[in-house]
């Protein structure tokens, strides 16, 4: 399945770039004025969320109204007062998993007051009423649109702009237009915020690799550093794309940043995903909200090289089976937290800084050796640089498997697959790179062929790209897991079939011909100089 590198056309994997989102972003960004991107994010994404649930409500409202007004319908109600009572009955909406939206929270009401100087207060009131009527959203929605520092004229223009997004018709809903706009804005805000943006957003192509490699068809999916919930969104999309249903997987997450936690709750609500993110933001180390969870799949992008993670209070923690993590770097605290939560046949895909593959400081080498010797490491992937908004630190992917001989795949105990993808991807702007669909397919296909997935083809080592190695060989390298150590150099094919002697004869003749022409040019130049009285 693994094959040679291709230099052919590569399709960009920016799933967000599908149409009008870029124009919408440009228009919204013009209204930003002097507001910081981190602050503006909550204004825009809050309005997009409000528009989404209002549209869903209106669609249901229109359907009910059509039915209660139709004498041929079994829902028909003759009296106008009774029709109104049915239309304004929250149960008629909640029963169909549609958020109940009070009158003062409906988009039509807010857009009618978009030019009012009180528009900020009206939006805040709308958010409060929605939370009252839908307990699942309690404490989630932003409610500071009325603050004095927010320009109400620009806010009204933004309401008009978001109101112009067509999502109510069947076609737009089938394309998940608002969900994709939401993701596009998340990625753009991550880019605008630079380093801080990485706290809530993992680039889509990186998430897609994790999902494509692990193929989470069903079971419990867990992300203890879930950011805005991108891992869950992609997992759900994967399940549906492969003929499954959303409820084939159960979603568990945790996020320590309270504003990011709210973003995740809204992101899942827009997608119709019922996830357990706890009822508040919390640190996975100090306050594990899912202590008893054993997950079938863990997909996670924890903060790189995190310092001050509270190690002093956790020295005797049950999670440190493979060694006490250093107090000034949480990489192997995270790794052991993930392992602790893996089910007996569970698998994990983890994004970490490259240093985790080779560091020997503060006991990290010993922890890595213990994890390798316990035969938990299934595959290592070295990523190209410039994939992340938050850091220029080179990153890699760890794939862990609790049971490398389970019946779903071939027995691959005491083996590790190494993939070097550092030369893959295309630059999408001056500073950011993306992996293409072709890149993702090649990486995931190689892993599946090596693992023995049905229909994945036959695996073979490819110099410079992939190598299947034994733990004994890894031990000889001091348990360093950097793929470049194992895959070797790429074989460059020499497509020059011309025999050496013939090639030299041809090139010599060409050189002599060029020398002869140069003498002719010298003669012409001297003659011209003479005509200008500049001869010798």
């Amino acid at each position: 399945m693994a094959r040679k590198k291709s230099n052919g056309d590569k399709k960009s994997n920016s799933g967000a770039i599908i149409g009008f989102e870029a124009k919408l972003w440009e228009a919204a960004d013009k209204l930003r004025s002097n507001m910081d991107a981190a602050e503006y994010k909550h204004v825009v994404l809050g309005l997009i969320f409000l528009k989404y649930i209002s549209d869903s409500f209106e669609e249901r409202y229109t359907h009910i109204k059509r039915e209660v007004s139709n004498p041929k319908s079994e829902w028909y109600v003759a009296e106008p007062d009774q029709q109104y009572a049915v239309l304004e009955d929250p149960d008629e909406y909640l029963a169909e998993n549609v958020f109940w939206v009070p009158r003062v929270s409906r988009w039509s009401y807010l857009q009618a007051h978009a030019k009012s100087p009180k528009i900020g207060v009206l939006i805040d009131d709308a958010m409060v009423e929605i939370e009252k009527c839908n307990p699942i959203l309690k404490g989630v929605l932003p409610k500071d649109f009325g603050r004095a520092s927010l320009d109400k004229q620009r806010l009204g223009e933004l309401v008009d702009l978001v109101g112009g997004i067509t999502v109510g018709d069947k076609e737009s809903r089938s394309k998940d237009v608002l969900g994709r706009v939401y993701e596009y804005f998340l990625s753009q805000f991550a880019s605008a915020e630079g380093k801080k943006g990485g706290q809530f957003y993992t680039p889509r192509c990186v998430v897609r690799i994790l999902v494509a490699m692990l193929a989470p068809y069903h079971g419990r999916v867990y992300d203890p550093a879930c950011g805005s919930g991108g891992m869950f969104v992609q997992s759900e999309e994967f399940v549906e794309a492969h003929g499954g249903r959303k409820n084939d997987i159960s979603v568990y997450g945790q996020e320590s940043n309270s504003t990011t936690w709210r973003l995740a709750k809204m992101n899942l609500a827009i997608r119709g995903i019922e996830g357990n993110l706890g009822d508040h933001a919390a640190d996975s180390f100090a306050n594990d909200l899912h202590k008893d969870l054993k997950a079938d799949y863990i997909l996670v992008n924890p903060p790189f090289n995190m310092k001050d993670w509270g190690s002093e209070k956790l020295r005797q923690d049950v999670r440190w089976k493979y060694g006490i993590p250093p107090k000034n770097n949480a990489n192997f605290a995270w790794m052991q937290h993930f392992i602790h939560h893996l089910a007996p046949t569970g698998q994990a895909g983890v994004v970490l800084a490259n240093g985790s593959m080779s560091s020997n400081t503060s006991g990290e080498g010993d922890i890595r050796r213990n994890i390798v010797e316990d035969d938990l490491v299934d595959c290592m992937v070295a990523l190209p640089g410039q994939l992340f908004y938050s850091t220029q630190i080179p990153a890699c992917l760890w794939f862990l498997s609790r049971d490398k001989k389970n019946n779903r795949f071939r027995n691959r105990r005491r083996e590790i697959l190494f993939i070097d993808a550092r030369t893959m991807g295309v630059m999408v702007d001056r500073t950011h790179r993306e992996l293409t669909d072709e890149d993702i397919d090649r990486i995931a296909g190689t892993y599946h062929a090596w693992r023995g997935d049905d229909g994945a083809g036959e695996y073979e080592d490819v110099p410079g790209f992939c190598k299947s190695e034994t733990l004994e060989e890894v031990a000889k390298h001091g348990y360093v897991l950097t793929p470049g150590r194992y895959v070797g150099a790429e074989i460059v094919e020499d497509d020059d079939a011309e025999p050496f002697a013939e090639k030299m004869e041809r090139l010599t003749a060409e050189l002599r011909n060029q020398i002869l022409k140069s003498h002719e040019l010298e003669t012409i130049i001297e003659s011209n100089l003479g005509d200008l009285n500049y001869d010798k």
Side-chain angles (χ1 to χ4, degrees), residues 206-492:
V206 176
V207 179
R208 285 194 59 212
I209 287 186
L210 295 176
V211 172
M213 296 277 276
L214 295 182
Y217 287 105
H218 55 80
R220 291 153 295 189
V221 178
Y222 175 49
D223 181 351
C226 69
S228 54
M231 300 291 182
F232 304 133
V233 171
Q234 287 295 312
S235 295
E236 295 276 11
E237 288 184 2
F238 177 88
V239 169
E240 292 193 309
H242 291 78
R245 297 169 300 177
K246 283 187 177 180
N247 58 9
D248 286 345
I249 62 173
S250 303
V251 166
Y252 298 85
Q254 187 162 340
E255 170 57 43
S256 61
N257 183 293
S258 58
T259 56
T260 304
W261 176 80
R262 289 198 288 271
L263 280 181
K265 295 278 283 187
M266 288 192 286
N267 198 9
L268 297 194
I270 277 179
R271 310 286 182 151
I273 300 172
E274 293 184 12
N276 181 351
L277 308 187
D279 56 6
H280 57 86
D283 178 356
S284 287
F285 291 134
N287 184 13
D288 187 353
L289 297 179
H290 306 288
K291 282 186 177 178
D292 299 326
L293 174 67
K294 296 298 181 184
D296 299 294
Y297 301 97
I298 296 176
L299 299 92
V300 60
N301 173 24
F304 291 176
N305 303 323
M306 181 179 172
K307 297 180 173 62
D308 301 324
W309 57 278
S311 65
E312 294 79 5
K313 299 178 181 178
L314 298 167
R315 302 292 290 176
Q316 305 302 319
D317 197 283
V318 67
R319 290 170 287 188
W320 315 148
K321 178 180 177 181
Y322 300 98
I324 298 175
K327 63 181 180 181
N328 59 351
N329 191 314
N331 286 348
F332 281 96
W334 280 116
M335 187 64 75
Q336 294 188 83
H337 177 86
F338 309 146
I339 295 171
H340 176 77
H341 279 287
L342 271 182
T345 58
Q347 304 167 66
V350 182
V351 186
L352 278 182
N354 271 4
S356 63
M357 298 189 291
S358 58
S359 172
N360 285 314
T361 59
S362 305
E364 289 184 327
D366 293 334
I367 298 174
R368 185 174 59 251
R369 181 196 65 221
N370 294 337
I371 293 173
V372 170
E373 281 298 336
D374 207 19
D375 210 5
L376 289 166
V377 182
D378 210 24
C379 176
M380 298 295 302
V381 179
L383 294 174
Q386 298 178 286
L387 289 178
F388 295 84
Y389 296 109
S390 56
T391 179
Q392 295 300 314
I393 297 174
C396 62
L397 303 179
W398 289 62
F399 289 91
L400 308 176
S401 182
R402 268 280 191 203
D403 180 6
K404 294 166 71 172
K405 61 177 180 59
N406 68 59
N407 294 326
R408 292 175 57 197
F409 313 112
R410 73 176 181 87
N411 185 343
R412 57 199 187 284
R413 286 191 295 177
R414 299 194 67 76
E415 295 178 16
I416 298 176
L417 174 65
F418 292 93
I419 296 177
D420 190 347
R422 289 177 296 171
T423 60
M424 288 184 161
V426 294
M427 297 299 291
V428 293
D429 58 36
R430 189 172 55 82
T431 55
H432 295 131
R433 179 182 294 272
E434 282 186 357
L435 292 166
T436 66
D437 289 346
E438 182 185 62
D439 295 333
I440 294 170
D441 290 344
R442 186 185 182 197
I443 294 169
T446 299
Y447 177 55
H448 294 163
W450 175 82
R451 192 172 63 172
D453 289 38
D454 288 340
E458 189 170 340
Y459 170 83
E460 60 177 313
D461 292 339
V462 177
F465 177 64
C466 61
K467 180 75 164 67
S468 179
E469 202 57 270
T470 64
L471 291 197
E472 287 70 26
E473 191 64 26
V474 173
K476 292 178 184 176
H477 288 266
Y479 296 94
V480 169
L481 298 177
T482 309
R485 284 205 176 204
Y486 303 94
V487 302
E490 181 181 14
I491 296 176
V492 179

Side-chain angles (χ1 to χ4, degrees), residues 27-43:
D29 202 43
K30 284 181 182 176
L31 300 175
R32 179 148 67 103
S33 188
N34 297 321
M35 192 181 298
D36 182 74
E39 186 182 11
Y40 191 56
K41 171 181 67 201
H42 297 291
V43 174

Side-chain angles (χ1 to χ4, degrees), residues 514-533:
Q514 295 297 325
I515 292 174
L516 184 61
K517 285 186 176 179
S518 73
H519 291 329
E520 292 173 355
L521 285 173
E522 284 179 8
T523 302
I524 294 171
I525 293 171
E526 288 292 345
S527 174
N528 289 340
L529 287 173
D531 292 343
L532 296 171
N533 297 321

Side-chain angles (χ1 to χ4, degrees), residues 68-258:
V68 298
S69 305
N70 182 4
K72 297 180 180 178
S73 171
E74 61 179 334
W75 286 30
Y76 177 64
V77 178
E79 297 298 325
D81 288 348
Q82 292 181 352
Q83 284 187 7
Y84 181 80
V86 175
L87 283 167
E88 295 295 326
D89 182 357
D91 290 341
E92 298 293 346
Y93 300 83
L94 299 175
E96 294 296 320
N97 293 319
V98 174
F99 288 112
W100 166 251
V101 182
R103 294 181 66 82
V104 296
S105 304
R106 295 171 194 173
W107 194 264
S108 55
Y109 175 82
L110 295 173
Q111 190 147 15
H113 294 82
K115 303 297 189 293
S116 166
K118 295 182 179 178
I119 183 61
V121 175
L122 293 176
I123 295 173
D124 286 341
D125 292 343
M127 298 291 191
V128 169
E129 291 302 314
I130 288 174
E131 287 193 357
K132 282 183 182 176
C133 299
N134 302 277
I136 193 174
L137 296 176
K138 184 180 180 182
V140 171
L141 304 183
K143 295 178 283 292
D144 54 355
F145 292 85
R147 64 186 184 277
S149 59
L150 187 58
D151 186 320
K152 300 305 179 293
Q153 180 179 344
R154 292 183 183 277
L155 179 59
E157 292 173 6
L158 195 58
V159 169
D160 286 337
L161 180 68
V162 174
I165 307 173
T166 304
V167 294
D169 60 273
K170 188 176 180 180
E171 181 181 358
S172 296
R173 291 179 66 82
S174 68
K175 291 179 180 176
D176 189 22
V177 170
L178 259 189
R180 296 170 83 162
V181 168
Y182 197 86
E183 181 180 351
Y184 182 79
F185 272 43
L186 276 174
S187 69
Q188 291 299 102
F189 278 120
S191 178
E193 291 183 44
K195 187 175 182 179
K196 292 180 181 177
Q199 295 175 359
F200 65 85
Y201 185 77
T202 301
R204 181 186 176 94
C205 66
V206 176
V207 179
R208 285 194 59 212
I209 287 186
L210 295 176
V211 172
M213 296 277 276
L214 295 182
Y217 287 105
H218 55 80
R220 291 153 295 189
V221 178
Y222 175 49
D223 181 351
C226 69
S228 54
M231 300 291 182
F232 304 133
V233 171
Q234 287 295 312
S235 295
E236 295 276 11
E237 288 184 2
F238 177 88
V239 169
E240 292 193 309
H242 291 78
R245 297 169 300 177
K246 283 187 177 180
N247 58 9
D248 286 345
I249 62 173
S250 303
V251 166
Y252 298 85
Q254 187 162 340
E255 170 57 43
S256 61
N257 183 293
S258 58

